[in-house]
Amino acid sequence: MSLLNLLRFISLRHMRLQKAQTFMAVSGICLGVAAIVSIGIINNSILFSFEDSINKVTGKAVLQITGAQSGFPEELLEKVQGVTGVEYAVPIIDTHGILVGGKEESLMILGIDVLIDHQIRSYSLSEDNSDIPDPLLFLAKPDSILITNRFAEREKIKLEQKINIQTVQGIKTLKVRGLLNPEGPAKAMDGNIAIMDIYAAQMAFGKEGRIDRIDVSILKGETIESVKKRIEDALPKGYNVDTPEGRTKQVEILLSTFQRNINLISFIAVFVGMYLIYNAVSIAVVHRKKEIGILRAIGTKRGQIIRLFLSETLVIAVIGSSLGIGFGIFLAKSLVSVFGQVVSEIYMRTSVNEISISYDHLIKGFFAGIITSIIAAMFPAISSSRITPISAIRSVPFSEDGFFTKKKLGIASIFFVVCAVCLFLQYKLTENNSYFHSSLGVFVATLFILIGLSLATPAFLKAYLLFFRRFIASKMGSSGKLAGLNLQKNINRNAVAAAAVFYGISVFVSTAGFMYSAKMSVMRFIDNAVKAEILITSGHPLATTGSKNIPMPLDMLKEVEKIPGVLQADPFRKLYVSYNNRRTLLLNIDVARRLSYSSFMVVSGEEKNLSNILSNKDNVLINEGFALKNNIKPGDSIVLPTPNGQVSFGVAAIIVEYTSDIGSILMDIHTYQRYWKERLADTIAVRVKDKKNSEAVRKAIQDKFGNDRKLFVLLASEFKKEIRKIIDQVFVFNYMLNVITLTIASLGIIVTLLASVLERTREIGILRAIGMLKKQVSQVVVLESMLLGLAGGTLGCVAGIVNGWMTLDGFYRSDFGASAQYFIPYASIIWAIIISGLLSAIAGIYPARRAAKTNIVEALAYE
Amino acid sequence: MIELRNVSKIYLHGSSEVSALKDVSISIKKGEFLTIMGPSGSGKSTLLNLVGGLDQPSIGEIFIDDKPIHNISDDELTLIRRRSVGFIFQFFNLLPILTAVENVSLPLMLEGISFTKIKPKAKELLGKVGLEKRSEHRPEQLSGGEMQRVAIARALITNPAVLLADEPTGNLDSKTSEEILSLLKYLNGQGQTIVMVTHDLKASTYGTRIIKLKDGALSEDISIGGNGK
């Protein structure tokens, strides 16, 4: 009750009177919570869209049998149909094509057995075709296709119209036999789904004799588990028999690294927001020292003072978190399609346009905002209770650093840095132990570096100001001198503002370093791997794993090689396989050919004679990520499921390979063809006899195949440019985070400077009284702000370089599957310094105006 | 009623010790109006702070109504300040964000009593100090004398055992000072025990007893019966 009185009569009034400070604190929490909420919603929406598509396409099937992405022999269908308890087992071709012409939309294409598929899925056609007795039967004609009403409307396609679809066999002309109502499968993928007869789909997509999936419904009285077990027993090893939920779970595992990383990033935003709260409450405590003294003198207990500040923070946190939820939803809505696109490019095809809000994420974000704010307010609140009642009577100096004395700060700073070093060393020294070798440890180490160095900000600021006053201030006239002196008076408090910039800039520089190094490493790898002058893909310029890429038949190679000027054409095929129930990328190239002009970047294992070891042999290379996740060394063997059962492959070496964050296996394409019985390539790398003729050769390739299929025939430079584009897309959230942290840092500066200006009212009044111009007052305050910003920015760059390096080492190798060398991002560092100076100068404008407006008479009467 | 037994207070200034109060023993009876005098640095404010529980003695014992206020926890001491002591400061020490009536109500609000219940009593006290029409004004809208009256009303709201005043007229002109001192004298006449620190000889004549301090030690203790207006 007494707390309510204090809150009502004192805290709420302060909030109302100091609108600017309240606004900053609320904004800080709002941004942090928005980061958490938006990321949560985006992650959820992406998973939901997968789940939704899987469920809609699943129909009544309770079990789904999948093998390698290349498909498996259709003879297995009979085996499954013969299993006791199976009601229906229907084959599916699950692939995609691209509509040629129009918006070039990608379509999920389901090849179904028209005679039995209706037992699993229901299809309903729009009224226009109500005279068709059984539309599915029409599909028996190989040129037939059903598309959804929605897709037809978007692409302005009419019934019975002929459309061109890009397939593995080139561009196929198909006739639209019916338009599907948005029911069942037709609702999946935002309507970008088409139905074909299974036989026609097999022919068009190079899957003769193979199917991608078998959907199974079970008889009444049977349990899913028992039927699943029977099916597993009936099939060769290496097939996945899973429920639709299980398949969603697999997608979740596939995306887990991506999702975890963006979650960690949102955590940093909250951390920076937490700092702002610490800053705001610390300043409030100093600013209200006298008030606290009076309250203590007339009988307010220490605990009541602490609770008062915590309750104030709680009120701000509740408002900030509530607004953060709204802003987070807005951010998620604006960004979900960008993220969907990134996931589509890198992992799996998806179409996410709508957000799916789970209350869990909102509650998580809300409480994260509140709990972190309270924790952040705890230290200054406790230090507030140290204010003695005597300070109400006379000006007893209150060491504003509370129990953070210089000595304690120094010790804490060293402690955190040492802990960070230990954690990182532990990470480095336990490379072969996946239990201790965790990137989470590195993340904590980077946080410790941030905390450790931020605690050193007062010492750094002191040295920095000494330098400024000695060498620079004298050249800047009275403003420079005053600014330097003012900042030196309250080193600890000003250090808090500098530290806010420190956090913003260190996050900026570490992400910049991480991204720059990742880019440089990937580009080096690409330079090493791609020696060809021309790259041919179909459906997507890079033929990335989850993309709209449509493989090409291997027979194309010979035809390409016949084109004048072509030296050789090499195939590249990649697809997901399951290893230890986790999706892994299988990369297939012609090893002998590749080695004739370029080597692999071997980390350990065989380096010489790889051509003999791999070519058409049961040996593979694996990348570091795969080796690390599965604890595999050169000389070990791995068992992979092939369409013809499980096969053991020897691991010849571990190599640097960046294609995927889930781990990759590299195999000779002849070995692959032998076991997978598939003759497709996603990319054809073309080397020309004379580099000067590259452009002419490209044109010749385009001319030769352009009528049959839509190809991307890119020069190596264009191909690399596309890769850079994808890397930038992957880091889109990092950019967003930079904006958020720098905004919060600027808010921190404004809060500090405002408090400093208010506190110096009398001093400013005196300066104005003895003839200082308003403009000069403003100049001093803006200069102070800039100096703080530059100090924080400089220290932030140091932390940013260290953290960027650690993050790269800790995350990149395990998450992206390859070692990356750290490159100091010089350009970004220069930008960081400019930004910190500029942003803080801008942040200083408002306090400067407040200072300039000081009423001289009132200020001098100020007690 | 208030008993100080061999009280000393030592402050640390860097590495050296400074004795602000040396072995002082005083007994203050109920209904007394004690004035503490002495030059700057003689320890009078230190003495007042110790009596009011704003500070703790380094050596010695202090009792209010036979209850010790030395060597007790901060919370216990805080409750004594809240319930048994009323403070009047030289610089008034009102909270600028509260109105006069809210400032007066503050000590009872700390007890958890709602403002609506306290307000009539606070207004009555403001009436008693002659400020019934200024109750909704904020400190910045009041004169020095008015602010000190609000502070006196605030000190009285808990019916404290003792009213402690630290140079209550130090920041006021002579006419206002006289008014404030008369008010204190009037309250003392009503039975209120008052301890006042001042270096103004005239102010000291309003009290019933004067003690003088020199270099932290008691130098004189004079009973005068009071001849103020």
Side-chain angles (χ1 to χ4, degrees):
Chain A
M1 187 67 182
S2 57
L3 186 66
L4 280 182
N5 277 336
L6 288 175
L7 199 62
R8 180 178 154 206
F9 286 95
I10 296 179
S11 303
L12 292 182
R13 249 171 237 189
H14 275 298
M15 284 180 209
R16 223 175 42 223
L17 289 171
Q18 283 150 7
K19 289 187 189 76
Q21 282 93 327
T22 310
F23 170 75
M24 312 285 168
V26 167
S27 310
I29 299 173
C30 168
L31 286 174
V33 171
I36 289 195
V37 168
S38 60
I39 284 307
I41 294 177
I42 288 171
N43 275 341
N44 196 47
S45 308
I46 291 172
L47 280 181
F48 180 76
S49 91
F50 278 114
E51 192 185 348
D52 194 46
S53 295
I54 288 172
N55 288 341
K56 280 171 182 153
V57 175
T58 304
K60 282 183 238 160
V62 290
L63 286 171
Q64 298 187 310
I65 301 158
T66 48
Q69 212 185 341
S70 57
F72 50 84
E74 55 189 0
E75 291 78 44
L76 288 184
L77 180 66
E78 274 179 42
K79 280 192 182 173
V80 177
Q81 282 169 338
V83 170
T84 319
V86 169
E87 185 188 23
Y88 294 105
V90 305
I92 293 278
I93 290 286
D94 181 348
T95 184
H96 69 279
I98 295 170
L99 179 76
V100 180
K103 293 180 193 133
E104 304 278 325
E105 281 189 86
S106 173
L107 273 169
M108 179 186 202
I109 295 183
L110 288 186
I112 59 164
D113 183 336
V114 293
L115 294 174
I116 57 168
D117 204 77
H118 59 274
Q119 303 290 358
I120 296 285
R121 278 165 279 268
S122 58
Y123 304 90
S124 120
L125 292 182
S126 65
E127 286 175 12
D128 306 350
N129 354 78
S130 53
D131 52 326
I132 301 173
D134 188 348
L136 295 184
L137 288 177
F138 281 79
L139 287 177
K141 292 183 183 171
D143 69 337
S144 301
I145 190 165
L146 298 179
I147 59 172
T148 66
N149 253 328
R150 216 159 163 187
F151 185 74
E153 268 170 36
R154 263 205 305 267
E155 293 284 351
K156 301 196 171 52
I157 298 170
K158 297 208 170 58
L159 201 62
E160 299 295 325
Q161 187 180 323
K162 285 188 174 165
I163 56 173
N164 290 327
I165 299 281
Q166 163 94 333
T167 70
V168 170
Q169 302 299 352
I171 295 171
K172 288 257 169 206
T173 303
L174 299 167
K175 198 168 185 184
V176 178
R177 298 282 184 190
L179 299 175
L180 294 159
N181 279 331
E183 273 174 41
K187 266 164 79 181
M189 306 298 292
D190 199 23
N192 283 23
I193 189 164
I195 312 289
M196 284 177 77
D197 171 58
I198 191 161
Y199 177 70
Q202 279 172 330
M203 300 307 283
F205 290 92
K207 301 203 173 199
E208 294 92 340
R210 276 173 299 142
I211 48 180
D212 288 321
R213 205 173 71 222
I214 301 173
D215 284 358
V216 176
S217 65
I218 59 173
L219 289 169
K220 271 186 187 162
E222 293 283 353
T223 65
I224 295 175
E225 274 311 306
S226 60
V227 178
K228 181 181 170 190
K229 175 90 186 31
R230 273 177 236 147
I231 296 175
E232 278 168 347
D233 292 344
L235 294 177
K237 286 212 160 156
Y239 284 91
N240 287 323
V241 184
D242 229 335
T243 56
E245 297 80 48
R247 284 188 66 209
T248 313
K249 193 84 202 151
Q250 280 194 353
V251 174
E252 234 175 291
I253 294 170
L254 179 72
L255 298 180
S256 60
T257 306
F258 175 76
Q259 301 204 321
R260 187 199 59 194
N261 287 353
I262 55 176
N263 268 327
L264 286 183
I265 290 170
S266 70
F267 179 74
I268 292 182
V270 175
F271 188 72
V272 179
M274 204 168 151
Y275 199 74
L276 181 79
I277 293 299
Y278 168 78
N279 191 359
V281 179
S282 305
I283 285 163
V285 167
V286 176
H287 193 56
R288 283 156 61 184
K289 185 186 82 181
K290 180 109 182 159
E291 175 189 295
I292 298 165
I294 297 170
L295 285 171
R296 291 279 289 128
I298 61 168
T300 312
K301 293 182 186 174
R302 282 177 200 271
Q304 283 178 308
I305 299 283
I306 296 176
R307 283 196 293 275
L308 178 70
F309 277 102
L310 293 184
S311 315
E312 274 182 49
T313 308
L314 184 69
V315 173
I316 288 176
V318 168
I319 301 171
S321 298
S322 310
L323 291 174
I325 287 179
F327 188 49
I329 294 174
F330 168 77
L331 274 183
K333 260 188 183 162
S334 328
L335 293 172
V336 72
S337 57
V338 179
F339 277 81
Q341 214 179 328
V342 172
V343 170
S344 271
E345 293 277 7
I346 309 170
Y347 300 95
M348 269 181 94
R349 174 182 74 214
T350 177
S351 137
V352 201
N353 295 316
E354 294 291 317
I355 55 166
S356 129
I357 299 173
S358 99
Y359 288 98
D360 278 7
H361 291 117
L362 303 190
I363 292 168
K364 198 173 98 188
F366 186 77
F367 283 104
I370 288 176
I371 292 167
T372 50
S373 303
I374 296 288
I375 294 173
M378 200 67 93
F379 284 120
I382 290 172
S383 84
S384 75
S385 70
R386 289 177 60 255
I387 293 172
T388 60
I390 297 179
S391 56
I393 304 167
R394 53 171 86 140
S395 203
V396 177
F398 165 62
S399 101
E400 60 183 55
D401 43 15
F403 58 76
F404 293 128
T405 57
K406 263 181 213 148
K407 197 175 160 197
K408 279 183 184 165
L409 276 179
I411 294 170
S413 167
I414 293 167
F415 171 78
F416 278 110
V417 173
V418 168
C419 281
V421 172
C422 290
L423 276 170
F424 193 66
L425 276 179
Q426 181 244 316
Y427 172 82
K428 292 293 277 182
L429 296 176
T430 53
E431 289 202 345
N432 297 322
N433 186 333
S434 57
Y435 187 73
F436 288 107
H437 191 72
S438 139
S439 47
L440 188 71
V442 177
F443 180 70
V444 175
T446 58
L447 279 188
F448 280 5
I449 286 283
L450 283 183
I451 298 172
L453 288 185
S454 73
L455 293 176
T457 325
F460 179 78
L461 187 63
K462 204 172 164 189
Y464 170 86
L465 287 174
L466 218 67
F467 174 83
F468 171 78
R469 287 187 58 205
R470 183 165 298 173
F471 299 106
I472 303 170
S474 52
K475 297 178 183 96
M476 299 180 80
S478 58
S479 302
K481 254 187 181 158
L482 270 174
L485 277 172
N486 285 338
L487 291 180
Q488 221 165 15
K489 260 191 302 191
N490 258 326
I491 287 278
N492 273 3
R493 173 122 42 91
N494 290 322
V496 174
V501 183
F502 161 84
Y503 278 112
I505 291 296
S506 61
V507 172
F508 177 82
V509 172
S510 68
T511 18
F514 181 85
M515 293 189 286
Y516 179 63
S517 306
K519 231 183 201 176
M520 288 290 282
S521 300
V522 172
M523 291 327 290
R524 274 191 175 187
F525 161 74
I526 296 285
D527 283 341
N528 180 58
V530 181
K531 299 281 186 192
E533 283 79 24
I534 295 168
L535 292 124
I536 310 172
T537 58
S538 175
H540 185 278
L542 288 184
T544 54
T545 320
S547 70
K548 303 179 262 185
N549 152 54
I550 290 169
M552 298 163 284
L554 268 189
D555 303 336
M556 253 180 83
L557 283 180
K558 280 180 197 143
E559 297 195 31
V560 172
E561 283 184 340
K562 278 185 206 154
I563 292 172
V566 172
L567 181 67
Q568 70 181 60
D570 293 340
F572 178 45
R573 172 75 173 135
K574 59 184 163 189
L575 70 164
Y576 284 121
V577 290
S578 174
Y579 180 76
N580 275 353
N581 284 328
R582 286 177 84 101
R583 276 173 185 252
T584 301
L585 205 59
L586 179 64
L587 311 168
N588 306 286
I589 59 168
D590 189 327
V591 172
R593 279 196 164 192
R594 157 76 186 265
L595 286 172
S596 69
Y597 59 85
S598 167
S599 57
F600 294 110
M601 294 157 87
V602 175
V603 178
S604 63
E606 290 287 345
E607 263 184 85
K608 289 174 189 161
N609 215 14
L610 277 176
S611 180
N612 279 340
I613 296 173
L614 296 173
S615 291
N616 210 1
K617 305 268 169 54
D618 291 358
N619 289 320
V620 293
L621 302 174
I622 58 172
N623 83 339
E624 289 167 286
F626 184 77
L628 203 68
K629 274 183 190 140
N630 299 293
N631 206 10
I632 297 171
K633 288 177 281 302
D636 291 353
S637 54
I638 54 173
V639 176
L640 294 178
T642 75
N644 296 312
Q646 291 193 304
V647 179
S648 176
F649 295 92
V651 174
I654 298 173
I655 55 165
V656 173
E657 218 291 325
Y658 289 101
T659 316
S660 163
D661 66 350
I662 54 166
S664 52
I665 302 165
L666 192 135
M667 186 183 280
D668 182 55
I669 199 155
H670 301 99
T671 315
Y672 170 73
Q673 286 164 359
R674 193 150 46 85
Y675 287 111
W676 272 262
K677 312 275 182 223
E678 188 211 65
R679 291 181 54 78
L680 296 174
D682 296 293
T683 309
I684 297 172
V686 180
R687 296 178 67 213
V688 297
K689 285 176 185 152
D690 185 353
K691 283 184 184 175
K692 284 181 214 145
N693 294 336
S694 301
E695 188 58 57
V697 175
R698 178 206 348 222
K699 196 172 173 304
I701 296 171
Q702 195 67 271
D703 288 347
K704 181 163 178 128
F705 299 101
N707 290 333
D708 299 335
R709 55 180 73 240
K710 255 188 95 70
L711 293 181
F712 286 90
V713 185
L714 302 180
L715 293 177
S717 59
E718 295 166 338
F719 181 76
K720 287 169 190 172
K721 204 171 136 195
E722 291 291 330
I723 289 183
R724 275 193 206 101
K725 246 179 20 198
I726 294 248
I727 299 175
D728 283 341
Q729 265 185 359
V730 174
F731 291 126
V732 65
F733 192 73
N734 298 60
Y735 292 118
M736 181 179 129
L737 175 84
N738 279 342
V739 174
I740 289 185
T741 44
L742 285 174
T743 312
I744 298 178
S746 309
L747 293 176
I749 288 213
I750 300 176
V751 169
T752 313
L753 282 176
L754 262 183
S756 158
V757 163
L758 288 175
E759 210 164 68
R760 296 203 318 253
T761 306
R762 186 178 170 82
E763 183 189 302
I764 294 169
I766 294 171
L767 289 172
R768 292 273 293 119
I770 60 168
M772 196 176 212
L773 298 170
K774 277 188 176 179
K775 204 173 90 186
Q776 286 172 310
V777 173
S778 297
Q779 267 171 5
V780 172
V781 176
V782 170
L783 189 61
E784 282 174 28
S785 180
M786 255 181 101
L787 284 172
L788 284 180
L790 287 172
T794 312
L795 197 61
C797 285
V798 175
I801 293 172
V802 176
N803 274 353
W805 171 69
M806 290 207 301
T807 317
L808 190 78
D809 209 286
F811 281 76
Y812 211 76
R813 195 148 65 115
S814 58
D815 289 355
F816 291 83
S819 301
Q821 191 193 333
Y822 185 69
F823 294 87
I824 295 178
Y826 291 107
S828 302
I829 289 174
I830 294 170
W831 271 114
I833 300 281
I834 295 173
I835 290 173
S836 53
L838 261 181
L839 214 59
S840 46
I842 295 169
I845 290 175
Y846 177 65
R849 286 178 68 174
R850 284 279 290 262
K853 275 186 192 162
T854 304
N855 181 309
I856 302 173
V857 179
E858 275 177 20
L860 293 177
Y862 194 81
E863 183 212 318
Chain B
M1 185 220 169
I2 298 172
E3 185 88 27
L4 282 86
R5 290 181 200 156
N6 310 104
V7 171
S8 295
K9 178 72 188 176
I10 299 156
Y11 288 110
L12 276 175
H13 270 277
S15 56
S16 60
E17 289 185 349
V18 179
S19 277
L21 219 55
K22 294 171 195 159
D23 197 26
V24 174
S25 295
I26 314 167
S27 176
I28 305 164
K29 292 189 195 74
K30 192 172 165 35
E32 263 190 328
F33 187 160
L34 176 75
T35 313
I36 306 172
M37 296 193 70
S40 288
S42 60
K44 37 187 204 306
S45 288
T46 305
L47 180 63
L48 195 79
N49 292 343
L50 293 174
V51 172
L54 290 176
D55 213 345
Q56 287 273 348
S58 309
I59 306 165
E61 297 171 322
I62 306 171
F63 301 86
I64 296 181
D65 287 340
D66 298 327
K67 282 182 219 149
I69 65 161
H70 55 278
N71 293 333
I72 59 171
S73 75
D74 187 78
D75 277 359
E76 287 170 306
L77 196 63
T78 306
L79 285 182
I80 288 171
R81 281 203 303 272
R82 190 193 297 171
R83 291 168 186 169
S84 307
V85 182
F87 283 102
I88 304 162
F89 303 102
Q90 181 179 357
F91 290 108
F92 329 125
N93 280 338
L94 301 175
L95 292 192
I97 53 168
L98 300 182
T99 61
V101 67
E102 286 165 352
N103 262 299
V104 174
S105 309
L106 197 53
L108 287 183
M109 283 207 253
L110 293 175
E111 291 283 2
I113 305 168
S114 80
F115 177 62
T116 17
K117 280 192 187 148
I118 312 167
K119 203 173 176 181
K121 187 176 179 189
K123 281 205 154 186
E124 185 195 319
L125 279 171
L126 280 173
K128 210 168 162 182
V129 297
L131 286 178
E132 55 277 275
K133 289 185 181 155
R134 311 284 277 167
S135 66
E136 297 303 330
H137 288 66
R138 285 186 197 279
E140 61 191 22
Q141 298 163 312
L142 301 173
S143 70
E146 287 172 329
M147 278 197 265
Q148 197 58 300
R149 282 164 197 268
V150 176
I152 293 172
R154 180 180 68 187
L156 291 172
I157 196 150
T158 52
N159 299 320
V162 61
L163 207 62
L164 302 178
D166 190 2
E167 304 269 12
T169 57
N171 209 27
L172 302 173
D173 60 51
S174 56
K175 187 172 171 288
T176 320
S177 294
E178 277 180 25
E179 286 170 13
I180 293 294
L181 289 168
S182 302
L183 180 61
L184 291 178
K185 180 81 195 159
Y186 165 76
L187 293 170
N188 179 239
Q190 307 275 307
Q192 178 67 55
T193 312
I194 298 174
V195 179
M196 175 175 78
V197 163
T198 182
H199 57 253
D200 177 4
L201 202 59
K202 201 176 170 199
S204 68
T205 59
Y206 285 77
T208 56
R209 177 181 168 198
I210 301 172
I211 57 169
K212 288 189 177 170
L213 292 177
K214 195 178 174 194
D215 297 330
L218 196 65
S219 66
E220 278 181 77
D221 187 342
I222 316 154
S223 208
I224 49 172
N227 61 355
K229 294 168 202 174

